[in-house]
Amino acid sequence: MNKFSITFTCLCCLFIAKNMVAQPQMDTVEVKANVQNTVQKLFDAMRNNDSATLHTIFTAKARLLSVESEKGNMQVFETSIADFITAVGQPKNEVWNEVIWSYSIELNNEIASVWCPYTFFLEQDGHKQLLHCGVNSIELYRSNDGWQITQITDTRNETGCREN
């Protein structure tokens, strides 16, 4: 084998190896975007009183948990999905605006975990009232219909909140 053949073979192997590594990275970027889009639908639905969308992004057995202090003791409180969807869909004078400051997304096959700090505002007539802030920890799985939320656990703080 001459030097040209060896060099050409090595370059071909490098090109193939690079493309094999690059493809999963591109897929990961697309999958993370799809996961983030599902989570964003949740917050858009809250702003728009859109309970129909919530029915499509939560699994039937999804859980909503909040970790917060009650009389100085940290407690975990659960809200049923049905109650949450009903509350979102109720006509109201204020807008529920949960502002997400960043997304950190981890993937493993058919599950995803999203960590997103937030501040929750009630907005009405151009006025914005800070209600609380914290972090959402959101678990999803890839169903035949796309990504769906299986659980949200959030923290709730009334002080030290980011406002912009």
Side-chain angles (χ1 to χ4, degrees):
M1 206 177 227
N2 64 30
K3 286 184 180 181
F4 174 77
S5 296
I6 293 171
T7 303
F8 181 74
T9 302
C10 287
L11 287 174
C12 286
C13 288
L14 286 172
F15 178 76
I16 290 167
K18 179 182 181 265
N19 283 338
M20 288 175 68
V21 171
Q23 187 60 40
Q25 253 182 334
M26 299 255 317
D27 290 348
T28 299
V29 170
E30 183 179 338
V31 171
K32 284 185 175 185
N34 290 337
V35 168
Q36 184 172 330
N37 183 50
T38 299
V39 172
Q40 188 60 49
K41 283 181 184 178
L42 163 68
F43 302 115
D44 291 343
M46 289 170 59
R47 271 187 288 281
N48 297 316
N49 296 357
D50 183 0
S51 58
T53 294
L54 295 181
H55 282 288
T56 68
I57 61 172
F58 282 106
T59 63
K61 295 182 180 181
R63 297 178 65 194
L64 297 176
L65 304 172
S66 294
V67 178
E68 55 187 302
S69 178
E70 184 176 279
K71 298 179 184 174
N73 295 317
M74 296 307 291
Q75 301 284 326
V76 176
F77 299 94
E78 184 167 3
T79 302
S80 79
I81 291 294
D83 288 349
F84 175 70
I85 291 173
T86 298
V88 167
Q90 292 295 317
K92 47 186 91 50
N93 293 327
E94 73 276 349
V95 173
W96 293 4
N97 187 13
E98 189 157 337
V99 177
I100 303 303
W101 301 110
S102 64
Y103 287 91
S104 175
I105 302 171
E106 297 294 328
L107 302 169
N108 187 286
N109 299 321
E110 304 305 312
I111 64 170
S113 182
V114 179
W115 182 269
C116 45
Y118 74 91
T119 305
F120 188 88
F121 298 97
L122 294 179
E123 298 180 2
Q124 183 177 6
D125 300 326
H127 293 49
K128 185 163 72 170
Q129 176 191 355
L130 188 150
L131 200 60
H132 60 267
C133 63
V135 173
N136 292 308
S137 175
I138 304 172
E139 304 301 318
L140 302 94
Y141 94 106
R142 187 179 358 214
S143 73
N144 292 334
D145 297 323
W147 289 96
Q148 291 186 295
I149 298 170
T150 60
Q151 179 167 305
I152 300 174
T153 304
D154 67 63
T155 60
R156 296 187 183 184
N157 305 302
E158 295 178 2
T159 60
C161 298
R162 179 177 172 180
E163 294 192 47
N164 54 31

